[in-house]
Amino acid sequence: MTHDAPEPGPLPGGLTPRRPTPADHARIQVALAEWWGGLGGAAGAQQRQLLVPRLFLQHFADTSVLAERPDGTLHAFLIGFLSQSDPETAYIHFVGVCPDGKRSGVGSALYAWFFGLARSAGRSRVRCITGPNNRDSIAYHTRMGFRLEPGDTVDGDGVPIHRDYDGPGLDRVSFVRDL
Ligand SMILES: CC(C)(COP(=O)(O)OP(=O)(O)OC[C@H]1O[C@@H](n2cnc3c(N)ncnc32)[C@H](O)[C@@H]1OP(=O)(O)O)[C@@H](O)C(=O)NCCC(=O)NCCS
């Protein structure tokens, strides 16, 4: 389905993009523990790691990308897919940029590639979610043109929250962006 998807384009800073493989699972797991600034403590790190099982690298690799430095180490990654159930929708499941690499245009370059891929596959919108305590993610997605979908409550900063979205106590913020 995605065999004719655009190849990841050039990235800032001499980074090389490529599709992930299952062999990348271990270092993405390390990134999920270390790149979120300790968000949610040890439990938060484990939750993130469990949200990116190996299957994403086996079955969603064509719609995902990672960025490597010249020495081959991991700098950033994006895990995405085309919805099987909604032909209008593409979904970004996870994105991470290493702490030293933030605010240098890498996240937006990976998103631009994914938006192009989604458009070329006929998708008209992109969706993703994040945790209400991930203020950096909310700021970034807003800057990237996503709308925050109305939830069932609003927090003190006016952010719409979907309570128990992913289970008891697992509140989420839901984003959508037209392509
Ligand atoms: C969120 C994240 C992916 C953004 O990637 P990035 O490479 O730092 O973002 P970019 O440099 O491409 O920034 C794109 C735009 O968003 C803005 N932006 C990025 N992070 C921001 C933040 N924390 N607060 C406000 N604006 C932010 C940038 O200023 C830029 O806007 P501009 O075009 O006006 O200059 C990255 O910070 C990250 O990996 N964070 C930790 C993991 C995480 O929270 N992932 C998302 C949830 S799964």
Side-chain angles (χ1 to χ4, degrees):
M1 186 178 189
T2 56
H3 60 280
D4 56 355
E7 286 301 312
L11 291 173
L15 298 170
T16 303
R18 70 166 170 82
R19 297 313 205 298
T21 75
D24 295 307
H25 184 248
R27 57 188 184 148
I28 291 174
Q29 291 283 299
V30 171
L32 290 162
E34 296 182 352
W35 290 3
W36 267 249
L39 189 70
Q46 191 183 33
Q47 272 184 29
R48 288 190 294 278
Q49 290 177 318
L50 290 171
L51 284 167
V52 188
R54 186 174 292 262
L55 71 88
F56 281 99
L57 311 176
Q58 294 168 322
H59 302 293
F60 298 90
D62 286 355
T63 50
S64 301
V65 63
L66 51 79
E68 288 177 328
R69 304 185 192 99
D71 65 0
T73 52
L74 185 65
H75 189 92
F77 66 93
L78 181 157
I79 308 287
F81 56 88
L82 302 174
S83 174
Q84 294 194 33
S85 306
D86 178 357
E88 294 297 322
T89 296
Y91 192 91
I92 295 176
H93 178 56
F94 249 87
V95 61
V97 177
C98 69
D100 293 345
K102 289 180 188 173
R103 307 297 284 264
S104 300
V106 175
S108 50
L110 298 183
Y111 269 45
W113 166 75
F114 187 80
F115 294 163
L117 179 155
R119 277 190 206 99
S120 76
R123 307 298 162 122
S124 62
R125 72 178 79 94
V126 178
R127 289 186 172 282
C128 53
I129 59 171
T130 199
N133 54 354
N134 193 342
R135 297 289 151 162
D136 286 343
S137 175
I138 295 169
Y140 166 73
H141 284 96
T142 302
R143 184 71 194 93
M144 295 304 297
F146 286 82
R147 307 192 297 282
L148 283 70
E149 296 192 283
D152 42 29
T153 188
V154 173
D155 76 5
D157 296 323
V159 172
I161 309 295
H162 300 250
R163 277 183 301 198
D164 301 332
Y165 184 92
D166 271 331
L170 299 176
D171 299 350
R172 297 291 182 256
V173 176
S174 177
F175 302 106
V176 62
R177 182 193 192 280
D178 294 330
L179 292 173

